[in-house]
Structures are given as structure tokens and as C-alpha cells.
Amino acid sequence: MPPGLKDVAALAGVSIKTVSNVVNGYVHVAPETRARVQAAVDELGYKPNVAARQLRSGRSGVIALALPELQSPYFAEIAGLIVQAAERRSWTVLIDQTDGHADRERNLVAGLRRHAIDGLIFSPLALAGEELTHGDGTPMVLLGERVSHGPADHVVIDNEVAAADATTHLAALGRRRIAAIGAQDFPSGVTAQQRLAGYRRALADAGLPAHPGLVAPVVSFHRADGAAAMAALLEAAEPPDAVFCFNDLLALGAIRTLLRRGIRVPEDIAVMGFDDIEDGRFSTPTLSTIAPDRAGIAEIAVDLLAERMGQSQEPPREVRVTHRLVARESTCGSETPM
């Protein structure tokens, strides 16, 4: 006979209710108790009866994750981490791509109950504020920068501070004509607008001028956009000696343009990215970047959703995750770690 809750409780030295709380993902369990129960679960090979639990709770055991684009390495890595965090709670994740289209985002929010979803983790680009409010009570957690102080819990990166850190790194290396690739002035470009603000703030703090001609706009955050923007910057009477790209894909495109033109990175122009995607660790040169705590984003989003599914009545919360600057070859030369 397979082990049950009673067996786990006896081995861990806790009550059956405590074991139930741990395996059902309730957050209000002391860390040391949770660890002891998990060790007993692992030792015994206990497997929860998911179907019975769902029948008792009236839940499907399925959550949805909606992201703007799945071909983006950053969003793909976030999706994988959220799937892992959800799996630890025995949840299944349905993943949807919205392409940032307002109608698709609106239909997603409106159609949750139709699809028997217990909760939604959502990174909107088109919708904001009250547009994200839905009446069926399905718990929701928001990611990204499009929404602040909105109708649901929100997990976010401090883009302005992180962008300032990236620009300050370039200034500290003695670069004096620091360009930016990634400006966007349309409503869904909030991420770009925050990173541009951080870039400008760091220039001012370093006593460097903010040349409008050194800010290159892009339509999207893809490699081709970065390559084209870098080519345009090189046409300036005084080209930059460094460039901060608002994501790693833009930076990889920029590096491609520079290398094709025989411009050395970082000796002639240093290049800084943002996101710390895996491709940047294996590019030539390896890419200096800002590394957001992606694992933290995933864990916090799933934990917040679990609390809301447990009927938490707290006002919507905004949680900011940490970041770190990773200096590699594209700004510091060949003697830097991956």
C-alpha cells in the first residue's frame, strides 16, 4: 500500500493537518516544519491524490500563464521557472501568448471561468488599470511594468535603478559617449521608458551630457532591431564609445553590427545588455548584463497566487525583486567570468 498522510505525519513528528497544509501549498507553515515534512515526503515517496484533493476543494489544479511572446528567451525562461514552481504545488500550467494585443489580453481576462482556471499569472502589454479588472473573482498576479498600483498583486523589477546601474558601470570604465538602444514612446513601452529614465539619471550623476542623438528608438526588443539601431548610431559625426541596450537581444544584434564593421568590442565600443539570457553567456564576446532575479519572480508570483486562491483579502501588493550587474567580456575584456 502506498504511504499516506498519516505515514508522513508520523515520520515528520507533526499532525496530519500540518502535512496536509504543506502538500497543499499553504504559506503559513514555519520553514523548519515545512522542510521536515518535505524530507518525510521525499523519504517515503508520498504522492498526493491530486484528483481527490481537487474534488474536495472544487479546484481544477490548473493555472494559466499569459506572456507577450514565447520566442523571447527571457519570457521562455520565466515560463519554465513558473512551471517548476507550480509543479511543486501539483499544479498544471496552461501557457498562452498574447503578442501584446489588446483584444487577446481582454479576451484572456474575460474568459477565465470558461476554461476552469484556478488562477492567472499575467504579463500585460496593452491593458492597464481597471481594464484588468474581471468580475468572476478568479485570482490573478501581474508581472511586468505595464501596471503599477493596479487591481491585483504585482511582481516587478526596478527598471530605473537597474538601468542606472548598467549605465554607471559603463561610465566607471571611463566611457564618455554612452548611447542607449531601445527607446519606445508608445503606451506599451513602459519598460523602455523606465530604462531610459535610469540611463539619463546615471548620465547626470556621472556628469555626462545626454546627447539626444545617442538614444536610438526601436519598434521591438529583437536582435534585428539592435543591429539596425547600432548601424544608425555609427553614422553619427561622433559615434559612441559605449552602448547600453535595453535587453540582451538588442545587445547581441548591436554586437553583430560592430563585429561586421571591424569595430572591436569592448576596446572601441563597450556593449551592455539587460536580462542575462543564456545566449549572452556564450556569445563572442560574452555579454555584460543586468540579471534580474528570475527565480524570485517565479516563486513570488506562484506564492502570491496561492495566497489569493486561499482567499487572502489583503489589498493588492507590489513586490520588487532584486537584480545584479554581471560584468563580462563585452565591457571588461577577455579576463572576466561567465
Side-chain angles (χ1 to χ4, degrees):
M1 179 180 295
L5 289 176
K6 184 177 180 181
D7 303 302
V8 176
L11 181 58
V14 299
S15 69
I16 293 175
K17 176 64 174 175
T18 297
V19 176
S20 177
N21 285 343
V22 171
V23 299
N24 282 287
Y26 291 110
V27 296
H28 301 298
V29 177
E32 60 273 15
T33 302
R34 184 182 300 278
R36 195 160 71 248
V37 171
Q38 188 60 54
V41 167
D42 294 342
E43 182 177 335
L44 294 173
Y46 170 73
K47 301 292 184 186
N49 187 331
V50 176
R53 187 172 72 199
Q54 291 168 356
L55 186 64
R56 289 193 302 271
S57 67
R59 295 179 184 162
S60 66
V62 178
I63 66 168
L65 170 64
L67 299 170
E69 55 174 338
L70 297 177
Q71 70 266 35
S72 161
Y74 174 77
F75 285 123
E77 291 179 26
I78 287 287
L81 290 165
I82 287 175
V83 167
Q84 292 172 17
E87 188 176 43
R88 289 191 282 273
R89 296 177 180 272
S90 300
W91 295 350
T92 297
V93 182
L94 297 182
I95 301 176
D96 193 12
Q97 175 173 296
T98 67
D99 295 313
H101 293 165
D103 287 344
R104 294 196 65 178
E105 292 187 356
R106 206 171 282 116
N107 290 339
L108 172 81
V109 173
L112 291 176
R113 186 169 293 282
R114 274 203 314 272
H115 298 290
I117 298 299
D118 293 335
L120 170 67
I121 299 174
F122 181 23
S123 180
L125 279 185
L127 302 188
E130 293 306 311
E131 294 178 291
L132 289 163
T133 303
H134 56 101
D136 69 6
T138 303
M140 179 168 63
V141 173
L142 300 171
L143 306 179
E145 292 71 40
R146 183 70 173 96
V147 180
S148 189
H149 309 295
D153 293 331
H154 183 205
V155 186
V156 68
I157 302 162
D158 195 330
N159 278 292
E160 186 170 338
V161 170
D165 289 347
T167 309
T168 299
H169 169 66
L170 294 170
L173 293 172
R175 309 292 172 152
R176 290 298 173 261
R177 287 183 57 80
I178 302 173
I181 292 178
Q184 295 178 329
D185 61 3
F186 38 84
S188 62
V190 177
T191 298
Q193 291 155 24
Q194 292 177 354
R195 292 179 188 177
L196 182 60
Y199 158 81
R200 286 173 170 160
R201 189 179 84 192
L203 289 181
D205 289 346
L208 298 176
H211 296 291
L214 290 181
V215 175
V218 298
V219 174
S220 62
F221 279 18
H222 294 154
R223 295 173 183 85
D225 299 88
M230 190 72 250
L233 287 170
L234 292 176
E235 298 303 316
E238 293 185 73
D241 60 6
V243 59
F244 166 43
C245 300
F246 290 1
N247 84 340
D248 285 350
L249 293 183
L250 292 171
L252 293 173
I255 288 173
R256 176 65 176 167
T257 291
L258 293 170
L259 296 183
R260 287 188 67 182
R261 298 201 181 188
I263 297 171
R264 299 171 301 166
V265 179
E267 291 85 355
D268 299 323
I269 298 180
V271 179
M272 183 81 190
F274 196 120
D275 282 344
D276 193 27
I277 64 172
E278 186 176 19
D279 287 3
R281 298 168 214 160
F282 295 92
S283 62
T284 303
T286 55
L287 183 61
S288 296
T289 190
I290 294 292
D293 181 9
R294 288 189 298 273
I297 292 171
E299 289 289 347
I300 292 167
V302 169
D303 285 349
L304 290 173
L305 193 63
E307 288 188 32
R308 294 302 179 184
M309 288 163 60
Q311 308 302 314
S312 170
Q313 299 300 312
E314 287 190 42
R317 294 156 289 184
E318 182 166 287
V319 180
R320 293 181 180 268
V321 300
T322 59
H323 66 271
R324 61 191 177 91
L325 189 146
V326 183
R328 297 195 181 104
E329 294 170 353
S330 67
T331 61
C332 295
S334 60
E335 299 302 320
T336 54
M338 293 179 66

